[in-house]
Amino acid sequence: MTNEATTYDAAIVGAGPAGLAAARELSSRGARVVILDEQARPGGQIMRQRPAEFAEDGWLSGGLYRKLKALLREVESLRELDWSMSTTVLGVADADGDEGFVLTAVRADESLTFRAKTVLCCNGCYERPAVFPGAVKPGVMGAGAVQTLLKSQKIVAGDAIFFAGAHPFQLLVAAQIAQAGGRIAGVAFAQSRLRVLSILKEPWLLVSHWRVFATAFGNLVRLRRAGVPLYFGYAMKEAIGANRVETVILQPVDSGGRARTRAPTKRVDADLLAMSYAFEASSELARQVGAQSRWSELSGGWVATHSQLMESSVPGLFVAGEVTGVAGADASLVEGCLAGLGMAVALGSIDAEEAARCAAPHRRRLRNLLRFAQYLARLAAVPAQLFETMAGASAVVCRCEGVTRADIAEALAGNAQISTANSLKLFTRAGMGLCQGRLCYANAAAQMAAQRGARVETLGPFQAQWPARPVSIASLIAAGDEDCVASRTTKIRKPCR
Amino acid sequence: MNRYDVLVIGGGLIGCASACYLARRGLRVFLAEKNDLNSLASGQNAGSLHFQLEHRLIEHGDALAAQFAQVLPLNAYASRLWAGLEEDLGASLGVRMDGGLMLAATDEETELLHKKQALESKSGIDTRMLKGAALRACAPYLGEDVRAASFLATEGSANPRLVTLAYARAAAKAGAGVYAGCEVAALSRGGGVWRADLIGANAPAARICADNVLNAAGAFAGRAALLAHLHLPVMPVPLMMCVTDRAPPAIPHLVQRAGARLSMKQARDGNIIIGGGWPARFRTANGTPDFSRRPKLIHSNVARNLALAVQAAPLVAQRRLLRCWTGVVGVTPDQLPYLGAVSKSSGFYAAVGGSGFTLGPAYASLMAELIATGETSLDISAYDPARLSSVNGFMEGAA
């Protein structure tokens, strides 16, 4: 048995804008830092890179990406950073008796353990799937997943792609697909045209965030020019097709998201449906350690709470980026800077006064960014009744375990004592499958809240269990055989260029 | 007004089942659960229906094993109850009684199995020793290290997610008041009745009265007993469980190991549930265990538990670990349950400890019989909490 594992000053989970910014801050102060990420190359979802062999000149062009790309290139060139890419973190736990934390992870079916005095969870967010008849058919994807294929492998996921959602993100993806030569069958917003355009009523936003609006406007123009039909005030009614999506049926809805039953539905042929209704903070790793979270309807569900320098309720555990509330890449970057300062204080590299001084400009910028993010979140908010309207009576809520709306309704009606989301999970199996409830929580909890007349925040999140992702049993035993699950030396690679 | 025959403290399997059987006997029952029903050990355990003597009961030598063999008649009683439970409660509970194997991988373990079988046959538990071709034919999934096994046809498993709530529904149907989110904050006695002060979001009244109290608070029954100024030594023990992704049907049996901590079964949905009593660790606050938080997983124990599972059934190595979870069970100092009156004069009863899931329905049925009629059809004197009279002789009458 060897015991040569490094104890890092900081382990950063997630190599997106927040993680990169924190790594830069910490590295500049001499801390020993390891960055872990599921992807093969750093950048996060926003700067998802192609494999090095397929690098290209025009990668992620546009002013929005400029600052982020500069950060990425800078951090990639830092020699003293350790990278563990293609690494899935399974759990974070406080180290018993010792200071700091133990991170369990897996890379290519090899179990790994990392020790660190401080940990930053900046593992982003994921898309909330909508529940409607046909939503589990092949050919229904998240808009983010469609974008991932495009960014990472230059794959246009379908021949005729229809976008349906409530989030402006789908405009961006649609424009990127169109630019890559894909055909867009249409884009449907649940909100009315007026509501989408109400952004113009806030001129201060146009001035302070002109780049975002210029991009959005450019996307719209690009789609219009390509002759893409845009639908406003339409929700998904059904995706139909023999073995996969062939036709999308749209339901007209009012401003509250209720079906306008007298207005005619619309049918559009498409072989791929990309959904973009909402995002959820990926707070489960932080919650696994015991970090407190609060419910935020508009910015990603259960989001981790934190101090001014991004420390969670667990001392030494920091959170940044979408984990603290979905607010976009710029806000994530600034939160990463703040977290880096907070971790430097925790490590004793700087004192609190200096940290406060360095943090001041970041905090001003963050306030501004969060104000804008909140505005966008209100704009992109899913109309109150929309999810209920789309879901109908019997659509699948938990796709891992095949639990339907009807199953959940029956469980709730038959068992008055089920009063938490966890109890619902235990009784129905919704949330017990491969995804650990990430995909079904919001929809199951919303249904429960509606049926019980309760607010989601009173139902609580699903318990965050280890491992965060399914893991090969053979690899766990192989690691255990060496009797050093907690002290295994890990091989670290520099990122491939 | 707010007057009951029995106040049941605890909305786990034993509490809900007791409420059901008591209400069916026509008694007025009030069940108070401070959290959600089924939210602790009753919903978190492995769901084993094990009627052979467990590893933990036979590992400490012959004299103790003989003492633990006292539990066997209760096992037989429980086995009969489980066999008819889905019909009785009118609900699917995932009950599967296709037999259980206790495996031996060493000569010592084989010898242990023979001794165990001798004890069991005295109590009418019909275990069979299987070896060689007969064993492989019965359980082709077993690994080559397995030398012998004792087989009991009535063993199996049930779904802990479903059983407690099915009892709660049956209890409510029979007229019991079942309240989750309702905590008994204080108990006092006067005029021959118990007065219980209630708190919590769903407490239907600030105070109720009951002639009897049944303590079914599981791992935290010690605390509940102190409300009545009685000692009930129940030690909370943190344990862990593992579950794999869905596998094709391969393991129809409950699988345990004679000389190591392993229990394994395949659920109807295909997931393989692996446990066996491996410890987790209490989280602490100010230096002492914080029972309000879920215990912390010990990763080296996960690896050891899984290695035992793979040794027993190599196909497990091909699976992915889906989830681990931890829970807290209540263990009594002598590992035998408390079943009966802690204080006969005041009508304070307990049904706690032992194999709470396997035996829970039996405890509940017997306690309902005892409280309703003053006697039981099965001799439960071995579990009488009167064995605590050395302590409670001092305590009694203080409430």
Side-chain angles (χ1 to χ4, degrees):
Chain A
M1 173 175 159
T2 54
N3 195 344
E4 300 164 355
T6 311
T7 296
Y8 287 97
D9 291 321
I12 296 175
V13 184
L20 295 172
R24 178 175 62 184
E25 183 65 48
L26 285 161
S27 211
S28 75
R29 296 179 191 277
R32 275 230 55 199
V33 179
V34 61
I35 304 185
L36 306 96
D37 196 290
E38 266 181 332
Q39 293 189 47
R41 302 187 66 194
Q45 301 295 352
I46 185 84
M47 291 178 286
R48 187 177 273 275
Q49 304 197 64
R50 305 239 160 86
E53 301 83 347
F54 296 104
E56 53 159 356
D57 289 341
W59 178 67
L60 297 182
S61 55
L64 278 181
Y65 290 113
R66 195 169 300 138
K67 196 170 173 186
L68 294 169
K69 286 199 305 195
L71 171 68
L72 174 61
R73 294 307 170 219
E74 183 185 345
V75 177
E76 275 190 321
S77 68
L78 293 175
R79 293 183 164 276
E80 52 278 20
L81 269 183
D82 282 348
W83 300 83
S84 185
M85 302 305 292
S86 305
T87 300
T88 300
V89 175
L90 305 175
V92 182
D94 49 308
D96 288 299
D98 303 324
E99 76 175 314
F101 300 87
V102 176
L103 291 86
T104 43
V106 63
R107 182 172 63 209
D109 265 357
E110 184 191 7
S111 285
L112 306 171
T113 299
F114 297 85
R115 289 178 174 278
K117 292 177 191 161
T118 60
V119 171
L120 173 60
C121 288
C122 48
N123 46 313
C125 63
Y126 47 88
E127 296 178 282
R128 172 177 174 176
V131 173
F132 55 84
V136 292
K137 263 189 206 310
V140 181
M141 294 174 73
V146 171
Q147 192 197 37
T148 293
L149 286 172
L150 183 70
K151 277 185 181 173
S152 65
Q153 302 285 334
K154 231 172 175 173
I155 290 170
V156 172
D159 291 330
I161 306 180
F162 191 87
F163 286 84
H167 202 282
F169 175 66
Q170 60 179 352
L171 276 182
L172 172 68
V173 183
Q176 288 171 336
I177 291 280
Q179 195 176 16
R183 188 166 87 74
I184 312 294
V187 180
F189 277 91
Q191 301 93 328
S192 68
R193 189 187 307 263
L194 259 177
R195 180 153 179 82
V196 174
L197 292 177
S198 67
I199 196 98
L200 299 171
K201 290 183 202 154
E202 307 276 348
W204 61 271
L205 283 170
L206 289 176
V207 173
S208 61
H209 291 85
W210 64 270
R211 212 192 278 279
V212 174
F213 291 105
T215 308
F217 189 69
N219 290 337
L220 265 174
V221 169
R222 213 171 286 154
L223 292 173
R224 274 288 187 212
R225 230 178 249 157
V228 171
L230 297 175
Y231 304 86
F232 291 95
Y234 283 92
M236 279 305 304
K237 184 177 174 68
E238 192 172 1
I240 53 177
N243 298 312
R244 56 169 295 124
V245 178
E246 291 165 9
T247 304
V248 170
I249 301 181
L250 300 173
Q251 169 71 55
V253 290
D254 66 15
S255 61
R258 286 170 294 264
R260 292 165 54 217
T261 44
R262 290 196 182 162
T265 59
K266 286 208 188 294
R267 297 170 67 98
V268 183
D269 288 340
D271 70 336
L272 193 100
L273 171 62
M275 293 181 288
S276 186
Y277 284 97
F279 294 94
E280 304 244 357
S282 199
S283 63
E284 66 278 359
L285 268 185
R287 286 192 286 110
Q288 227 186 57
V289 204
Q292 278 169 14
S293 58
R294 67 182 171 86
W295 176 255
S296 169
E297 180 76 38
L298 284 181
S299 43
W302 292 101
V303 300
T305 59
H306 54 82
S307 69
Q308 292 198 343
L309 292 181
M310 311 313 290
E311 191 166 21
S312 75
S313 64
V314 177
L317 181 83
F318 290 74
V319 287
E322 318 292 33
V323 173
T324 68
V326 178
D330 291 340
S332 295
L333 192 158
V334 178
E335 288 191 349
C337 294
L338 289 169
L341 287 167
M343 294 165 87
V345 173
L347 292 164
S349 347
I350 54 171
D351 61 33
E353 270 175 47
E354 189 189 344
R357 199 169 54 246
C358 298
H362 294 311
R363 291 181 46 74
R364 273 195 300 277
R365 178 149 167 72
L366 184 61
R367 264 197 302 277
N368 182 350
L369 287 167
L370 290 182
R371 199 161 53 140
F372 177 58
Q374 263 170 15
Y375 178 78
L376 273 191
R378 278 200 303 277
L379 184 79
V382 174
Q385 295 299 315
L386 188 77
F387 279 115
E388 289 283 312
T389 302
M390 290 194 291
S394 59
V396 173
V397 175
C398 167
R399 27 186 92 203
C400 301
E401 297 294 315
V403 181
T404 65
R405 295 259 306 172
D407 295 333
I408 290 175
E410 188 189 332
L412 291 170
N415 297 280
Q417 282 86 8
I418 293 178
S419 67
T420 63
N422 253 341
S423 297
L424 180 69
K425 163 180 159 180
L426 197 62
F427 190 74
T428 61
R429 289 179 71 89
M432 284 193 154
L434 290 171
C435 85
Q436 292 278 36
R438 275 185 287 273
L439 294 181
C440 69
Y441 172 80
N443 295 319
Q447 183 184 353
M448 181 171 177
Q451 197 168 333
R452 285 279 191 257
R455 288 145 54 99
V456 176
E457 52 263 55
T458 65
L459 306 177
F462 285 157
Q463 180 87 21
Q465 307 279 26
W466 187 90
R469 301 274 194 281
V471 55
S472 148
I473 284 176
S475 78
L476 288 175
I477 294 175
D481 267 354
E482 296 168 30
D483 197 26
C484 51
V485 177
S487 60
R488 199 170 157 71
T489 313
T490 49
K491 294 182 282 294
I492 304 298
R493 293 179 308 198
K494 295 288 171 189
C496 43
R497 296 293 184 79
Chain B
M1 290 295 271
N2 289 333
R3 176 75 185 263
Y4 295 86
D5 295 313
V6 188
L7 162 66
V8 178
I9 302 178
L13 171 58
I14 297 171
C16 290
S18 299
C20 168
Y21 292 131
L22 285 161
R24 283 181 177 182
R25 285 176 177 273
L27 275 65
R28 292 165 299 169
V29 181
F30 186 101
L31 183 148
E33 162 59 54
K34 71 173 173 176
N35 301 309
D36 247 11
L37 298 182
N38 205 37
S39 57
L40 297 177
S42 298
Q44 292 164 339
N45 74 91
S48 302
L49 301 181
H50 50 76
F51 304 114
Q52 303 188 46
L53 286 172
E54 292 165 84
H55 154 252
R56 66 183 172 93
L57 301 182
I58 54 178
E59 67 179 342
H60 300 299
D62 296 349
L64 273 175
Q67 183 192 327
F68 292 132
Q70 296 172 4
V71 85
L72 288 170
L74 196 56
N75 284 3
Y77 182 94
S79 167
R80 288 193 298 277
L81 257 178
W82 277 109
L85 197 57
E86 290 191 327
E87 199 188 336
D88 181 29
L89 298 181
S92 169
L93 308 173
V95 177
R96 177 174 186 172
M97 298 171 85
D98 294 331
L101 290 164
M102 189 169 289
L103 311 182
T106 64
D107 289 340
E108 294 74 34
E109 284 181 288
T110 310
E111 195 186 333
L112 210 56
L113 285 186
H114 282 291
K115 281 185 184 163
K116 183 179 76 69
Q117 193 200 11
L119 280 169
E120 286 162 350
S121 66
K122 276 190 219 159
S123 299
I125 299 246
D126 186 22
T127 42
R128 267 189 298 141
M129 287 296 290
L130 291 174
K131 283 180 184 164
L135 177 59
R136 305 294 149 181
C138 167
Y141 54 84
L142 291 177
E144 53 190 29
D145 291 353
V146 179
R147 301 177 180 197
S150 61
F151 178 81
L152 180 60
T154 52
E155 286 194 317
S157 56
N159 195 331
R161 302 188 294 105
L162 306 178
V163 182
T164 302
L165 291 191
Y167 266 124
R169 291 193 300 272
K173 200 173 156 197
V178 179
Y179 297 94
C182 171
E183 179 178 358
V184 177
L187 278 176
S188 57
R189 198 164 162 79
V193 294
W194 290 102
R195 291 183 297 268
D197 292 342
L198 306 175
I199 55 173
N202 295 325
R207 173 176 275 195
I208 61 154
C209 296
D211 293 338
N212 302 285
V213 175
L214 172 59
N215 181 352
F220 306 105
R223 219 184 270 175
L226 280 174
L227 290 172
H229 286 264
L230 291 166
H231 279 305
L232 197 68
V234 179
M235 270 63 84
V237 171
L239 297 178
M240 53 150 262
M241 293 291 310
C242 306
V243 62
T244 72
D245 57 358
R246 293 180 183 211
I251 305 176
H253 307 119
L254 168 68
V255 176
Q256 298 183 87
R257 179 83 184 264
R261 283 179 276 181
L262 172 69
S263 81
M264 176 164 64
K265 66 196 64 75
Q266 188 168 18
R268 281 190 185 154
D269 300 290
N271 310 77
I272 300 169
I273 300 157
I274 298 165
W278 286 89
R281 185 176 290 132
F282 282 123
R283 296 175 191 275
T284 55
N286 302 321
T288 56
D290 179 358
F291 297 127
S292 68
R293 296 174 66 197
R294 293 253 184 147
K296 188 179 163 186
L297 198 63
I298 302 173
H299 291 288
S300 52
N301 286 349
V302 175
R304 291 187 189 111
N305 196 178
L306 293 175
L308 284 174
V310 169
Q311 189 189 13
L315 67 93
V316 172
Q318 309 304 315
R319 306 311 324 167
R320 291 197 165 246
L321 177 66
L322 191 56
R323 183 170 54 249
C324 293
W325 71 94
T326 60
V328 180
V329 296
V331 176
T332 61
D334 56 9
Q335 297 213 43
L336 294 175
Y338 299 127
L339 215 51
V342 186
S343 160
K344 288 201 174 61
S345 61
S346 64
F348 190 91
Y349 296 82
V352 179
S355 303
F357 186 75
T358 297
L359 301 178
Y363 295 172
S365 168
L366 291 163
M367 292 308 291
E369 189 182 2
L370 180 66
I371 294 172
T373 70
E375 55 194 14
T376 55
S377 49
L378 183 81
D379 178 13
I380 55 170
S381 56
Y383 321 115
D384 194 342
R387 64 189 189 273
L388 301 170
S389 62
S390 56
V391 176
N392 283 331
F394 296 105
M395 300 288 284
E396 207 159 351

